[in-house]
Amino acid sequence: MDRDILKVGVFDDSTDLFEGQYKIPDGITYNSYVIMDEKIAVMDTVDKNFVDEWLSNLKKALGGRKPDYLVVHHMEPDHCAGLSAFLKEYPDVAVVGSKRAFSMIQGFFGDCVPETIEATEGGTLSLGSHELRFVMAPMVHWPEVMMSYELKSGSVFSADAFGSFGRPEDFDEWDEQADRYYFGIVGKYGAQVQSVLAKLAKFDVKAILPLHGKVIEKEIDRYISAYDRWSRYESDRDGVLIAVSSAYGHTMDAARLLSGYLGDRGVKDVVVADLNRDDMSSTVAKAFRYDKVVLACVTYNGDLFPYMREFLDCLVERNFKNKKVGIIENGSWAPVAGKLMEKRLEGCAGIEYCPTRVKITSAVNLQSISALSALADELKG
Ligand code: FEO
């Protein structure tokens, strides 16, 4: 990283639910950066529970100097909560952000910003030897979002994009924590991600500095390619996700049998996810990444079991598409889960159903075993 760009962010290992919904057993970082030059720019703040720690980090980094600008890339509270405390500490700072950011500042904090600089597409801010060029990134992940490209270092301050859960040093592979972040937080906005990737393609990007997780400094193309595939809704894992919602275990029995049959047929990457118990956001990310998904569900109160409903809602909300899908349904007297799962996905483009729909009436029997075997044949290719 450019030696004049300093990290002043914090690590949160105490919050149970990020955004009030995502479990984060490995924690999350709220990244903030300072560019030290003739003028000093602070890039974003942090979550409300870490403002004091962040201000202390910032003070150390500043070494007795005062910042000139606070650049606001994103106004979600995990990044903006320290804004008013920061302005109390440094009242002469000008706040730089998109037009929408300032209306959100008003909404969150009222009139607390003495001086504003509105950033626009392609606009620049010179700090001395460093210069920021602004890239608007609406809906990646909120409408006010922008990125900054710093010309001297080739650094992109990418807001939520390229972010990941966890603490980077705890994970070997970025995508272990980044796919769940992408598909959970940004996944609905593939078209907008494509739009900003096209803008970034015009820059010589040497580093990506997101608001969460790892600073990316090597193999930049690999990370950009991952975001390109994900935002195109292209699967990047050749295998089968079997997503199961089972009441008493019989539907799960079928899923495990299918997993074994796929293994027998040479399919190496098969994952059985228990929707009732496994982390939902991890399974959602897998559903987008695997090229084949099997939905296995018991009928319950004439509807789907609740966890399958939630799972399918998550997929549909995030524009699930371009997938080969297998169906396993169960029901002791009137199985309708298969029909209902297909109905829930009927607005999704590019869904190719396997011809065999496996029907179980209570427990797996010879007939359903034969159907599971046929389904494995259809999925193995
Ligand atoms: Fe990390 Fe959309 O906030």
Side-chain angles (χ1 to χ4, degrees):
M1 204 157 88
D2 182 301
R3 65 188 171 84
D4 297 320
I5 301 177
L6 309 177
K7 295 199 248 183
V8 291
V10 297
F11 176 55
D12 174 0
D13 62 354
S14 56
T15 296
D16 58 343
L17 294 176
F18 177 71
E19 270 194 0
Q21 58 175 318
Y22 299 101
K23 290 177 191 155
I24 46 170
D26 303 310
I28 190 164
T29 66
Y30 308 115
N31 297 346
S32 169
Y33 308 91
V34 183
I35 306 178
M36 303 291 288
D37 205 323
E38 290 164 31
K39 300 281 188 184
I40 296 177
V42 178
M43 317 301 257
D44 299 286
T45 82
V46 297
D47 178 84
K48 67 179 186 303
N49 295 319
F50 299 88
V51 172
D52 289 345
E53 183 184 342
W54 169 69
L55 284 172
S56 167
N57 294 347
L58 179 58
K59 195 169 184 177
K60 277 185 216 144
L62 291 170
R65 294 181 64 192
K66 302 275 188 210
D68 298 279
Y69 304 108
L70 174 66
V71 182
V72 174
H73 293 97
H74 185 13
M75 274 301 295
E76 195 164 5
D78 51 329
H79 308 297
C80 78
L83 190 141
S84 62
F86 174 85
L87 289 174
K88 280 194 188 108
E89 189 78 25
Y90 303 107
D92 298 327
V93 160
V95 176
V96 183
S98 66
K99 188 173 183 181
R100 296 289 294 262
F102 289 113
S103 64
M104 289 185 182
I105 290 174
Q106 179 73 30
F108 278 114
F109 302 104
D111 292 319
C112 73
V113 181
E115 187 183 346
T116 61
I117 297 174
E118 186 184 319
T120 53
E121 185 74 54
T124 59
L125 180 71
S126 175
L127 306 174
S129 65
H130 296 81
E131 182 172 306
L132 298 175
R133 182 166 299 173
F134 303 117
V135 178
M136 297 297 120
M139 300 318 298
V140 184
H141 133 240
W142 277 16
E144 85 299 355
V145 171
M146 66 175 195
M147 300 183 182
S148 298
Y149 176 74
E150 198 289 301
L151 277 75
K152 182 183 174 197
S153 61
S155 303
V156 174
F157 295 88
S158 63
D160 273 340
F162 301 96
S164 49
F165 292 115
R167 183 160 46 186
E169 50 269 37
D170 296 340
F171 295 90
D172 293 334
E173 292 296 332
W174 166 80
D175 65 355
E176 284 178 60
Q177 292 284 341
D179 63 355
R180 190 166 76 94
Y181 188 87
Y182 175 80
F183 288 107
I185 313 284
V186 190
K188 178 177 172 62
Y189 305 110
Q192 290 85 349
V193 173
Q194 280 289 307
S195 165
V196 81
L197 289 179
K199 293 186 206 175
L200 293 179
K202 296 178 185 137
F203 298 119
D204 180 16
V205 177
K206 297 192 175 108
I208 299 174
L209 290 74
L211 286 175
H212 301 286
K214 176 178 174 170
V215 170
I216 298 164
E217 297 179 275
K218 294 178 184 156
E219 302 178 278
I220 303 283
D221 288 349
R222 180 163 77 83
Y223 296 88
I224 290 182
S225 294
Y227 253 55
D228 184 38
R229 282 194 306 274
W230 294 350
S231 57
R232 288 178 194 276
Y233 303 92
E234 283 179 7
S235 309
D236 65 350
R237 294 187 69 160
D238 182 10
V240 182
L241 166 69
I242 308 174
V244 190
S245 199
S246 182
Y248 287 95
H250 298 99
T251 313
M252 182 59 84
D253 289 343
R256 294 210 170 105
L257 279 170
L258 177 64
S259 173
Y261 295 158
L262 287 165
D264 294 344
R265 286 159 176 76
V267 181
K268 291 190 175 64
D269 194 354
V270 181
V271 174
V272 177
D274 181 346
L275 295 174
N276 306 8
R277 293 175 181 81
D278 293 348
D279 178 69
M280 185 61 75
S281 65
S282 299
T283 310
V284 168
K286 288 184 180 77
F288 280 93
R289 296 192 67 185
Y290 279 81
D291 62 344
K292 300 169 205 87
V293 175
V294 174
L295 304 170
C297 187
V298 64
T299 305
Y300 185 76
N301 286 339
D303 202 335
L304 300 172
F305 210 58
Y307 301 98
M308 180 59 82
R309 289 205 297 265
E310 182 187 347
F311 178 62
L312 294 177
D313 283 350
C314 286
L315 299 188
V316 172
E317 185 184 332
R318 289 162 178 76
N319 301 321
F320 189 66
K321 61 175 76 168
N322 305 334
K323 209 67 66 177
K324 187 164 189 177
V325 173
I327 296 281
I328 300 172
E329 64 174 350
N330 196 352
S332 293
W333 62 92
V336 291
K339 182 176 72 180
L340 293 175
M341 289 190 283
E342 287 193 20
K343 185 163 178 55
R344 267 190 142 79
L345 294 181
E346 68 189 4
C348 299
I351 303 293
E352 178 200 345
Y353 286 101
C354 296
T356 299
R357 181 193 287 180
V358 180
K359 180 180 291 203
I360 302 161
T361 42
S362 298
V364 173
N365 59 18
L366 285 177
Q367 198 174 16
S368 42
I369 282 175
S370 166
L372 286 165
S373 182
L375 181 59
D377 284 334
E378 292 161 17
L379 288 163
K380 75 179 177 199

